[in-house]
Amino acid sequence: MMALPRASAVLVLFLAALLPPTQRAQDPGMVHYIYQRFQVLEQGLEKCTQATRAYIQDFQEFSKNISAMLGRCQTYTSEYKSAVTNLALRVERAQREIDYLEYLREADVCVESEDKTLAEKLIQEAEEEKKIRTLLNASCDNMLMGIKSLKIVKKTMDTHGSWMKDGVSSSQKVYFLVGSRNKTVWEFANLRAFMEDSTKPAPRKLILTHSWQGTGQVIHRGFLFFHNQGTLNEIIKYNLQKRAVEDRMLLPGGAGRALVYQHSPSTYIDLAVDEHGLWAIHSGPGVYGHLVLTKIEPGTLGVEHSWDTPCRSQDAEASFLLCGVLYVVYSSGGHGPHRITCVYDPLGIVSEDDLPKLFFPRRPRSHSMIHYNPRDKQLYAWNDGNQIIYKLQTKRKQLLE
């Protein structure tokens, strides 16, 4: 038998000892066979051991490489994180700068817009003032300083009504309109014929196609202007010569919704004539609202301009215009004293502070109407059935500017 390695020999002897003696005697080559098998097995184990050692060595090398790579990655990650943080800070700072620039741009735009709006407003106001001055640019610069005297021209039984002369033409005719709702106009040849019923020629009776409402009628350049009864705000222009309706208009601004004067219970729109032409006065919204003044172009019945005045309709009984200034007459309870306590000048020249106390001669009742005639510079009024003329004292506006 060949020499065996110590471990293999010991193992072969151990296994041979396990065989029965008879089998060992009968098959002496068995021990050698076992040895060969174990030798093969031992070689396989040795290769496996070597392979395992090689694998462990490769794994250790791989692990070392991985650890080095992870270290580098961690370094790169830290650098990348730092770079990202720095980039975020720069982006944030840039965003703040952009926001600030945007704020400055918007502020500039707002300032420019506000400046532009203010400039446009100033231009508009200047144009509006120029338009008003052009509109009221008549050769009239007087303002009221007092009611000098009273003359009762005629007495009738009618509490309400209006009477007037044409404020522009040279006609001496007097027109007499009885009642607050009627369509009959009496035309007298002159003031004397009106005062004395027996004087000839007899008055001419004109039957209108529509009834008037209230006592706010006026005559201007041969036309009678009046508020059409049964309508809210329709103004009729009636040709007295042709006896026909010439034109009509709807007065805007909420006209006709309320009494224009508290103590004139049937007048919702009051018309007036002065040196500047045709006007309309009505009450604004609300109970006893502020009066609204409207300038009307008599030829076309177009609205030229409107003003919201500070004068209230409460305790008011009548109003009139003189040289483009509105004078409103008030009385307590409608029984007097009758005084002018509110004045409105669209040009802003005349105010209550510029005027003395303006009282009318004491009358027992409120006026049904008071209208100014720009041709003879007097007031025509109706008070408790009396047809009255008030003579006026005036003064140039420029003296108080």
Side-chain angles (χ1 to χ4, degrees), residues 176 181 226 255 273 286 295 337 384 398:
F176 188 58
R181 295 177 182 84
F226 62 91
V273 174
K295 183 71 176 64
D384 195 25
Q398 284 79 355

Side-chain angles (χ1 to χ4, degrees), residues 42 73 114 149 154 175 191 198 277 281 286 303 305 308 322 358:
E42 191 175 45
C73 286
E114 291 176 358
S149 62
K154 191 181 184 70
Y175 296 88
L191 186 61
S198 60
I281 305 105
V303 172
H305 205 283
D308 293 324
L322 188 157
L358 298 173

Side-chain angles (χ1 to χ4, degrees), residues 245-395:
V245 173
E246 186 83 8
D247 202 353
R248 62 185 72 201
M249 69 170 293
L250 297 178
L251 188 64
R257 299 183 182 275
L259 292 173
V260 60
Y261 313 116
Q262 181 183 357
H263 299 311
S264 184
S266 60
T267 303
Y268 290 84
I269 298 175
D270 191 16
L271 299 172
V273 174
D274 74 345
E275 292 82 358
H276 298 293
L278 181 63
W279 303 79
I281 305 105
H282 68 87
S283 179
V287 179
Y288 304 138
H290 293 273
L291 299 183
V292 178
L293 178 64
T294 302
K295 183 71 176 64
I296 300 174
E297 208 292 310
T300 62
L301 290 186
V303 172
E304 295 183 291
H305 205 283
S306 287
W307 297 266
D308 293 324
T309 77
C311 304
R312 296 186 64 86
S313 64
Q314 184 175 8
D315 288 330
E317 61 180 66
S319 72
F320 59 92
L321 282 111
L322 188 157
C323 287
V325 179
L326 177 69
Y327 298 86
V328 186
V329 183
Y330 293 87
S331 60
S332 179
H335 302 294
H338 313 283
R339 64 200 187 279
I340 296 172
T341 56
C342 187
V343 176
Y344 178 73
D345 183 2
L347 296 177
I349 299 174
V350 180
S351 68
E352 294 94 333
D353 298 334
D354 301 323
L355 304 176
K357 293 182 179 180
L358 298 173
F359 287 91
F360 283 80
R362 189 173 183 85
R363 302 297 300 166
R365 296 182 182 276
S366 62
H367 292 84
S368 174
M369 54 79 66
I370 300 177
H371 283 166
Y372 173 70
N373 187 297
R375 185 162 58 90
D376 56 24
K377 312 298 182 185
Q378 299 181 129
L379 294 180
Y380 288 70
W382 188 301
N383 183 284
D384 195 25
N386 298 305
Q387 288 73 56
I388 302 171
I389 289 179
Y390 292 108
K391 291 188 176 181
L392 306 176
Q393 179 184 0
T394 60
K395 197 171 186 178

Side-chain angles (χ1 to χ4, degrees), residues 19 22-31:
L19 296 174
T22 56
Q23 189 175 358
R24 285 196 303 269
Q26 293 176 0
D27 191 4
M30 180 63 67
V31 176

Side-chain angles (χ1 to χ4, degrees), residues 49-161:
T49 300
Q50 292 177 357
T52 300
R53 287 174 180 171
Y55 172 75
I56 291 173
Q57 185 177 358
D58 292 342
F59 182 78
Q60 289 176 344
E61 187 68 23
F62 175 75
S63 178
K64 185 185 296 182
N65 293 335
I66 290 296
S67 297
M69 292 176 65
L70 288 175
R72 289 195 297 272
C73 286
Q74 188 173 3
T75 301
Y76 294 153
T77 301
S78 178
E79 293 176 354
Y80 173 75
K81 184 176 181 181
S82 177
V84 169
T85 302
N86 291 334
L87 180 61
L89 292 175
R90 294 176 64 185
V91 169
E92 184 180 358
R93 184 165 57 251
Q95 185 62 47
R96 286 199 302 267
E97 293 176 354
I98 292 173
D99 292 342
Y100 178 69
L101 293 175
E102 183 68 18
Y103 166 76
L104 292 179
R105 188 186 69 82
E106 292 179 355
D108 291 339
V109 170
C110 290
V111 170
E112 291 176 0
S113 178
E114 291 176 358
D115 291 343
K116 183 178 180 181
T117 302
L118 180 59
E120 290 176 350
K121 184 178 180 181
L122 292 175
I123 293 173
Q124 184 178 1
E125 291 177 353
E127 291 177 350
E128 191 73 14
E129 183 178 355
K130 182 179 178 181
K131 177 183 176 182
I132 294 173
R133 290 189 178 277
T134 302
L135 182 64
L136 304 181
N137 187 24
S139 57
C140 177
D141 55 5
N142 292 329
M143 63 186 199
L144 183 63
M145 296 302 292
I147 294 92
K148 292 174 58 177
S149 62
L150 170 151
K151 179 181 180 180
I152 297 178
V153 177
K154 191 181 184 70
K155 293 183 179 181
T156 65
M157 300 298 295
D158 301 289
T159 305
H160 301 288

